[in-house]
Amino acid sequence: MNKKGISKFRIDLKPTQILVLGFLFLIIVGAILLNLPIATNDGNSIGFIDALFTSTSAVCVTGLVVVNTLEYWSMFGKIVIIILIQIGGLGFMTFATTFFIIMGRKIRLKERLIIQEALNQYTLSGMVRLTKNVLLGTLLIEGIGAVLLSIRFIPKDGAYGIFKAIFHSISAFCNAGFDIVGDSSLSPFIGDIIINITIMLLIILGGLGFTVWIDILRVLKQKFENKWNFKSTFRKFTLHTKIVLVLTFSLIVIGFVFFFILETTNPNTLGNLSTKNKILGSLFQAVTPRTAGFNTMPLGDMTHGSKFMTIILMFIGGSPAGTAGGVKTVTMGVILLTVISGIRGKERTEAFERTIPEDIIKRALAVITIGITVVITVTMILSVTETGSFMDILFESVSAFATVGLTLGLTGSLTTIGKIVICITMFIGRLGPLTMAVALSMRARSKASMKKPDEKVMVG
């Protein structure tokens, strides 16, 4: 192929395609590095499939693992994993843009379009500034989180506790769920207030989305010199921020109450703990499916109701333009608001005295439909290839799609086919719903067509 042909090929790549190829390239590089003997404690290669699975889980900030992260991987392997988590959580374009800025290279329109796609923005205005703020804000929050976690880890592990604190701070903020504590995740710290609160805040902040951060800071800056009033301050937020905050708070409260009621008498989970530890355990379990993958209580011993509630919370996930997975809170919120509007006989979907555009509703429906389709398909395939209960398989499928990382024990016994299917599912979960929905909306806008005649069909 001549230079002209290569140039044309590059120009024809859409931003969504570049994002997919970028993440795929990062996963392959990570798999190669993790497959090196130096990456393991015993000096033996783990095998490419397991290395690929671990790399995919790290880049897609999922947290599903086929080996114990603490015991199996060497320091080199652990460093590779946490770098993959950091780049995967923020997006490779964030780091590429930062590198271009450091090198003094001008950010071109094509690259701004990719950043816009990666951060799920509707405008090209201020993309470079947004990228800088995202990176600086992330490093600041992760740094504070690492300092707080060091209070517990350094007295226990010495100098290694510093690395342990940094690892868990990055993993929590990026909603990855990788830990280097042991087989039981963070269960040894179920009653530790500092560990629990710090990890939960990191998960929530990472899951809120970068645009929500910026909007909150914008409003707080405006209100700094004025008299503080929550109601008037809340009104100044964008509709997106309002929906994110309301749904995030509501889901945490609903999850907390649900888990506390169902597990407080379960002797295998919270039943034998103090009231303080029951509260911490229930609250942590309400936060972690959104979509971090840590756990402080044994998931396999939870009641069926709690397992199913965890599946629901995992599927919803966090919020757009953040580090969390799932179909996203705003997507689910738009669908619920549309249903409520339909029940009330309203022609438009409204929230907080604003009307939600029809194209946003269509995107939300597309994301939900794609998500349900992927979960059903993966569950059916795993039901054939794997041995386990239906609950275990459904839980694993949703966890992989929503990039959560929680498991009822199926991950370690996956067949080769099962590992490949879960890898694909994690990849789709990290990129699929967003890129597919955006592609559909772009295609719809690019095709101007005459309106066809209306004809009613029976629904319900």
Side-chain angles (χ1 to χ4, degrees), residues 109-149:
L109 176 61
K110 184 77 171 180
E111 288 148 357
R112 292 172 189 268
L113 287 169
I114 300 171
I115 298 170
Q116 178 190 16
E117 189 77 27
L119 296 179
N120 197 19
Q121 301 297 300
Y122 286 99
T123 175
L124 277 173
S125 176
M127 283 296 101
V128 176
R129 184 173 65 254
L130 175 61
T131 302
K132 290 179 183 177
N133 291 336
V134 165
L135 186 61
L136 291 174
T138 296
L139 294 177
L140 176 62
I141 293 172
E142 289 177 347
I144 295 172
V147 170
L148 293 174
L149 293 175

Side-chain angles (χ1 to χ4, degrees), residues 251 255 259 285-286 289-291 309-317:
L251 289 172
F259 290 125
Q285 187 58 33
R290 323 279 318 290
T291 50
M309 172 57 79
T310 303
I311 289 174
I312 294 171
L313 293 176
M314 288 194 299
F315 185 76
I316 296 172

Side-chain angles (χ1 to χ4, degrees), residues 197-268:
I197 298 299
T198 302
I199 293 292
M200 283 190 287
L201 286 176
L202 287 169
I203 293 170
I204 293 169
L205 288 173
L208 283 178
F210 306 121
T211 50
V212 173
W213 295 4
I214 293 170
D215 191 40
I216 291 175
L217 290 174
R218 174 187 63 80
V219 173
L220 291 180
K221 186 177 180 180
Q222 292 177 356
K223 299 291 291 184
F224 184 74
E225 296 180 354
N226 300 324
K227 186 177 180 181
W228 177 263
N229 183 283
F230 176 80
K231 190 173 181 180
S232 62
T233 301
F234 187 79
R235 277 203 199 103
K236 292 185 178 294
F237 291 140
T238 63
L239 178 59
H240 174 85
T241 300
K242 290 175 183 177
I243 294 175
V244 166
L245 293 178
V246 169
L247 284 180
T248 298
F249 178 77
S250 299
L251 289 172
I252 291 174
V253 171
I254 291 170
F256 164 73
V257 173
F258 195 92
F259 290 125
F260 187 83
I261 292 174
L262 265 66
E263 299 300 327
T264 193
T265 56
N266 184 350
N268 297 319

Side-chain angles (χ1 to χ4, degrees), residues 332-382:
M332 187 60 67
V334 169
I335 297 299
L336 291 175
L337 289 167
T338 302
V339 171
I340 293 171
S341 296
I343 293 172
R344 292 180 174 178
K346 293 184 177 180
E347 294 182 359
R348 294 176 295 274
T349 300
E350 299 174 350
F352 299 105
E353 300 180 355
R354 293 290 186 273
T355 299
I356 299 176
E358 188 177 346
D359 65 318
I360 301 297
I361 298 171
K362 289 179 179 178
R363 284 184 65 181
L365 285 170
V367 170
I368 293 289
T369 303
I370 292 168
I372 293 173
T373 302
V374 171
V375 168
I376 291 174
T377 303
V378 172
T379 302
M380 291 180 69
I381 295 173
L382 294 182

Side-chain angles (χ1 to χ4, degrees), residues 57-232:
S57 184
V59 173
C60 298
V61 290
T62 305
L64 291 173
V65 294
V66 291
V67 294
N68 187 301
T69 306
L70 170 67
E71 298 173 358
Y72 190 84
W73 299 107
S74 65
M75 179 58 75
F76 174 81
K78 292 183 180 75
I79 291 174
V80 170
I81 288 172
I82 202 61
I83 290 174
L84 292 175
I85 289 171
Q86 185 74 90
I87 298 175
L90 296 185
F92 74 93
M93 274 308 300
T94 301
F95 290 90
T97 303
T98 304
F99 177 76
F100 291 155
I101 293 171
I102 293 173
M103 296 299 292
R105 175 180 163 181
K106 186 177 181 180
I107 309 301
R108 298 172 300 177
L109 176 61
K110 184 77 171 180
E111 288 148 357
R112 292 172 189 268
L113 287 169
I114 300 171
I115 298 170
Q116 178 190 16
E117 189 77 27
L119 296 179
N120 197 19
Q121 301 297 300
Y122 286 99
T123 175
L124 277 173
S125 176
M127 283 296 101
V128 176
R129 184 173 65 254
L130 175 61
T131 302
K132 290 179 183 177
N133 291 336
V134 165
L135 186 61
L136 291 174
T138 296
L139 294 177
L140 176 62
I141 293 172
E142 289 177 347
I144 295 172
V147 170
L148 293 174
L149 293 175
S150 295
I151 296 173
R152 286 291 183 263
F153 289 140
I154 290 179
K156 182 181 178 182
D157 301 290
Y160 180 69
I162 299 174
F163 173 75
K164 202 171 179 180
I166 295 172
F167 188 100
H168 287 93
S169 181
I170 294 173
S171 183
F173 178 79
C174 291
N175 280 223
F178 278 83
D179 70 87
I180 47 176
V181 174
D183 286 326
S184 56
S185 188
L186 298 179
S187 294
F189 303 100
I190 190 170
D192 192 306
I193 293 178
I194 292 179
I195 295 290
N196 276 263
I197 298 299
T198 302
I199 293 292
M200 283 190 287
L201 286 176
L202 287 169
I203 293 170
I204 293 169
L205 288 173
L208 283 178
F210 306 121
T211 50
V212 173
W213 295 4
I214 293 170
D215 191 40
I216 291 175
L217 290 174
R218 174 187 63 80
V219 173
L220 291 180
K221 186 177 180 180
Q222 292 177 356
K223 299 291 291 184
F224 184 74
E225 296 180 354
N226 300 324
K227 186 177 180 181
W228 177 263
N229 183 283
F230 176 80
K231 190 173 181 180
S232 62

